[in-house]
Amino acid sequence: MKITFKLYATLSDYLPAGQRHNAVELDVEPATTIADLVERFHLPARLVHLVLVNGVYVAPEQRMARTLAPGDALAIWPPVAGG
């Protein structure tokens, strides 16, 4: 099944080489979880801060078991500081 995987800020460095934008379409297995993709792309857990599926926040305690559906958009941001 196809999903859209988006990484923001410094996390975009973890996308496959040659990506021109912060998003990539992926073919994933039907039971794929958010945690599976974090592991697949070697994202440091400390940098996986804000996670949204189709614009809806996914709490940290739900990310291990939350499966993705065809057409989902998974977006992940690192912690952000500012003033």
Side-chain angles (χ1 to χ4, degrees):
M1 68 181 187
K2 289 204 180 287
I3 66 154
T4 302
F5 185 51
K6 301 177 184 181
L7 296 177
Y8 290 90
T10 56
L11 287 178
S12 64
D13 293 341
Y14 291 88
L15 288 172
Q19 288 302 120
R20 301 181 85 189
H21 303 287
N22 69 318
V24 63
E25 271 198 24
L26 298 175
D27 271 318
V28 298
E29 295 298 319
T32 298
T33 65
I34 294 169
D36 292 334
L37 290 176
V38 167
E39 182 178 320
R40 175 174 163 184
F41 285 89
H42 307 289
L43 303 179
R46 64 182 168 68
L47 295 182
V48 176
H49 182 68
L50 177 62
V51 176
L52 303 176
V53 174
N54 302 325
V56 177
Y57 175 72
V58 180
E61 61 274 7
Q62 299 171 338
R63 296 175 190 167
M64 292 298 285
R66 173 65 160 83
T67 58
L68 299 166
D72 276 353
L74 170 61
I76 301 175
W77 282 265
V80 180

